[in-house]
């Protein structure tokens, strides 16, 4: 559950944001909706929200001061600034404090859901990265060691058709972006390309099996593809020919 604090001195905007966010099918909970900077600081201290939506110009304590104190409480929280058109440069200054993004009034409510989803994703990725770095410090597991473990896991499990970047990232408690970088460093290929490489190499061995002639459907299932059509397309992209052509050509040359 992601905790959200809304801070805006305009009750219409404050209530409108609260109602809109609560209507989303997202793991979000509005824990406070406050009307000035002083209340915003108190709410942030008490609830330590993962996401903060805040007007840049509020009574008692201005937005920049709230951001500065929020950063002392949680450097990873995602702060979304709400600004009037005449305060655009002020909002730009706020970006230097590491806010996630700014919304100009009047707010484009149609895009807000996507912004909230991205904030949730960025926060989760950051926490995963910090978690794995902390684990590395305590267990002496380096990124190189993690990379070796990931590659070994893929070699042993590529035939599972449910395997995905998300699933492997969750297994090793890293973010998807971090896992992508690790695989790229180890193989010079993207996660998907490396997974396809493992599957196609095994498919080639099965195609050339002299003891049993497997059907394309059987090979597709055995190497981890959800459909024969996708297997054939991936095979041709990798080798330049279809699986049937590859088998026939190799048999002719034998």
């Amino acid at each position: 559950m992601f905790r959200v604090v809304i801070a805006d001195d305009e009750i219409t905007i404050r209530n409108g944001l609260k109602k809109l966010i609560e209507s989303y099918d997202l793991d979000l909970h509005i824990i406070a909706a406050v009307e000035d900077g002083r209340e915003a600081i108190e709410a942030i201290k008490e609830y330590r929200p993962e996401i903060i939506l805040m007007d840049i110009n509020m009574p008692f304590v201005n937005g920049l001061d709230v951001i500065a104190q929020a950063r002392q409480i949680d450097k990873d929280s995602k702060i979304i600034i709400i600004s009037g058109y005449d305060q655009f440069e002020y909002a730009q200054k706020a970006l230097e404090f590491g806010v996630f993004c700014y919304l100009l009034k009047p707010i484009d409510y149609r895009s807000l859901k996507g912004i909230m989803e991205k904030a949730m994703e960025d926060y989760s990725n950051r926490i995963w990265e910090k978690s794995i770095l902390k684990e590395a410090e305590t267990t002496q597991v380096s990124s190189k060691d993690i990379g070796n473990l990931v590659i070994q896991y893929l070699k042993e499990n590529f035939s599972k058709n449910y395997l995905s970047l998300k699933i492997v990232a969750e297994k090793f408690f890293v973010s998807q972006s971090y896992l992508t970088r690790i695989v790229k460093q180890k193989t010079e290929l993207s996660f998907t390309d490396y997974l396809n490489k493992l599957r196609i190499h095994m498919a080639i061995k099965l195609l050339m099996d002299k003891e049993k002639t497997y059907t394309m459907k059987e090979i597709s299932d055995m190497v981890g593809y959800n459909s024969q059509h996708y297997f054939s397309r991936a095979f041709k992209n990798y080798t330049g020919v279809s699986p049937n052509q590859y088998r026939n050509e190799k048999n002719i040359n034998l």
Side-chain angles (χ1 to χ4, degrees):
M1 178 69 70
F2 286 77
R3 293 160 295 187
V4 180
V5 165
I6 298 172
D8 195 296
D9 62 339
E10 296 183 52
I11 188 170
T12 302
I13 292 179
R14 194 165 64 245
N15 291 341
L17 286 171
K18 183 176 185 295
K19 183 176 180 180
L20 188 66
I21 292 171
E22 287 176 342
S23 72
Y24 297 150
D25 186 21
L26 298 175
D27 194 20
L28 295 168
H29 176 55
I30 308 297
I31 52 173
V34 300
E35 62 182 355
D36 60 58
R38 190 166 52 200
E39 290 183 356
I41 293 171
E42 292 174 357
I44 293 167
K45 285 181 179 179
E46 180 177 356
Y47 299 111
R48 296 180 178 271
E50 288 81 11
I51 301 176
I52 303 166
L53 283 87
M54 183 178 63
D55 190 347
I56 197 71
N57 188 20
M58 291 185 294
F60 302 119
V61 182
N62 69 48
L64 293 180
D65 289 337
V66 175
I67 294 170
Q69 294 197 44
R71 281 286 168 257
Q72 292 178 3
I73 297 168
D74 184 356
K75 294 181 179 179
D76 299 315
S77 62
K78 298 302 172 183
I79 302 174
I80 299 172
I81 291 297
I82 303 170
S83 172
Y85 286 113
D86 57 345
Q87 296 149 356
F88 180 75
E89 292 182 2
Y90 195 34
Q92 288 281 65
K93 180 65 177 177
L95 294 177
E96 298 175 11
F97 285 78
V99 304
F100 179 67
C101 72
Y102 62 84
L103 300 176
L104 293 177
K105 297 179 180 179
I107 298 170
D108 181 3
Y109 292 104
R110 293 172 298 180
S111 65
L112 182 60
K113 182 176 182 180
I115 292 170
M116 298 299 290
E117 288 174 326
K118 187 65 166 58
M120 293 166 67
E121 179 184 357
D122 279 16
Y123 185 88
S124 297
N125 286 343
R126 178 56 183 156
I127 297 305
W128 278 333
E129 289 175 357
K130 289 181 69 174
S131 174
I132 200 64
L133 288 173
K134 184 177 180 180
E135 181 181 347
E137 291 175 355
T138 57
T139 65
Q140 302 301 308
V141 177
S142 67
S143 61
K144 180 180 179 181
D145 295 327
I146 296 171
N148 289 336
L149 291 172
V150 168
I151 296 303
Q152 185 61 36
Y153 177 80
L154 291 176
K155 287 179 177 178
E156 293 175 355
N157 295 276
F158 66 84
S159 62
K160 297 176 179 177
N161 61 17
Y162 59 80
L163 212 60
S164 68
L165 179 66
K166 181 177 184 293
I167 287 174
V168 177
E170 290 177 351
K171 177 175 178 59
F172 287 91
F173 303 102
V174 299
S175 70
Q176 295 181 46
S177 59
Y178 184 73
L179 178 61
T180 298
R181 292 197 299 272
I182 288 177
V183 174
K184 185 73 172 181
Q185 289 170 1
K186 296 293 293 183
T187 68
E188 298 185 352
L189 297 171
S190 68
F191 176 89
T192 300
D193 287 344
Y194 182 67
L195 186 59
N196 275 329
K197 177 182 177 180
L198 293 174
R199 288 171 169 171
I200 298 303
H201 280 202
M202 177 54 71
I204 289 172
K205 291 181 180 179
L206 295 172
L207 285 167
M208 295 295 99
D209 193 313
K210 292 182 172 57
E211 296 183 1
K212 182 175 180 179
T213 301
Y214 295 99
T215 66
M216 294 305 153
K217 179 65 167 62
E218 288 174 330
I219 294 176
S220 172
D221 292 340
M222 292 167 70
V223 300
Y225 288 101
N226 289 314
S227 74
Q228 181 181 334
H229 173 74
Y230 183 65
F231 161 61
S232 296
R233 186 172 63 182
F235 191 96
K236 187 171 184 178
N237 286 339
Y238 189 83
T239 66
V241 296
S242 69
N244 274 321
Q245 286 176 304
Y246 189 94
R247 172 185 275 165
N248 294 335
E249 291 175 2
K250 292 299 180 180
N251 286 336
I252 290 172
N253 293 330
L254 292 177

